[in-house]
Amino acid sequence: MSMLTPPGMGGQYRIKGDKYPRLRRRRRRGRFVVLAVVSVTALGVAGWGTLQLIDVFTGGGGEASAAGPKSDCGTRATPSPTATAPLPKPAGITVNVLNATTRSGLAKQTADELKKRGFKIGDVGNATKDYDKKVKGTGLLLGPAASLNTSLPVLATQLTTAERRTDATRKGATVDLIIGDRFKELTKKPEAEKALTALSNPKPTPSTSKKGC
């Protein structure tokens, strides 16, 4: 096999056979690639270090969390007692029983029944002209402003369908039961006693509260 020298090589390389040897210029390219990778890596490391320093001096930009063990998060219903003043007993309530209908005898009959149920009875008779023949429902419970959440609710247990009203100009603690056109009788005694018990011992109402995380 003959020995050939490629033109332009000046006899520096000798070629044998049908394959050329690798030239050194390709190694230089490899070095450039390695240097580029090293440079990019160094820049990346430098950038990461800069970010770490920024986080250190700025606090990392995160929200502060409270120290200590985590508490359960969520919504829980906790019972809360109803904040109301103690209601008066029937024996502490004086009731005027007034008839606003055209039927006679209703005031006395109703007053006698209320007395049996423990209420004190005041005046018994016909309603005044302001209410006479003007109460279309079963009855009207009327009292001073202070009776709205005290005496009137207690008296209402005896006639649950009656309307309740207060008069800001009225003095004293006496309340009126004014019998209306649709009145037949007081609420049945067992039902009235049950309503009175529920009114005196209200169940605690659940209140929603959230616990923080």
Side-chain angles (χ1 to χ4, degrees), residues 33-133:
V33 171
V34 171
L35 288 174
V37 172
V38 172
S39 299
V40 171
T41 303
L43 289 174
V45 171
W48 180 81
T50 303
L51 291 176
Q52 293 298 314
L53 289 174
I54 292 174
D55 286 343
V56 169
F57 288 104
T58 61
E63 295 182 359
S65 58
K70 272 190 175 182
S71 59
D72 295 335
C73 301
T75 302
R76 296 182 178 180
T78 55
S80 61
T82 304
T84 56
L87 294 173
K89 301 293 183 181
I93 301 174
T94 300
V95 183
N96 299 323
V97 183
L98 307 174
N99 186 3
T101 74
T102 57
R103 293 174 287 168
S104 61
L106 287 181
K108 185 177 185 308
Q109 179 183 345
T110 303
D112 291 342
E113 183 60 27
L114 284 175
K115 186 175 182 180
K116 292 178 183 179
R117 298 185 183 188
F119 290 87
K120 288 183 178 180
I121 304 301
D123 297 335
V124 178
N126 294 326
T128 62
K129 62 180 181 178
D130 293 334
Y131 299 101
D132 189 28
K133 301 179 183 63

Side-chain angles (χ1 to χ4, degrees), residues 1-5 14-18:
M1 185 177 295
S2 63
M3 306 297 292
L4 298 177
T5 302
R14 298 173 65 87
I15 301 174
K16 294 181 180 182
D18 56 356

Side-chain angles (χ1 to χ4, degrees), residues 117 157-158 160 187-197:
R117 298 185 183 188
T157 61
Q158 310 303 309
T160 57
T187 301
K188 297 294 184 182
K189 188 175 180 179
E191 296 178 9
E193 289 179 349
K194 185 177 180 180
L196 186 58
T197 300

Side-chain angles (χ1 to χ4, degrees), residues 150-211:
T150 55
S151 301
L152 288 185
V154 176
L155 181 59
T157 61
Q158 310 303 309
L159 187 59
T160 57
T161 56
E163 181 186 354
R164 305 181 203 177
R165 291 184 192 176
T166 59
D167 185 355
T169 63
R170 184 163 174 168
K171 305 299 181 180
T174 303
V175 294
D176 298 343
L177 190 162
I178 304 175
I179 300 172
D181 292 338
R182 296 183 182 178
F183 178 85
K184 292 183 179 180
E185 62 180 356
L186 294 174
T187 301
K188 297 294 184 182
K189 188 175 180 179
E191 296 178 9
E193 289 179 349
K194 185 177 180 180
L196 186 58
T197 300
L199 185 66
S200 302
N201 302 285
K203 293 182 180 180
T205 56
S207 62
T208 303
S209 62
K210 281 189 176 182
K211 283 190 174 182

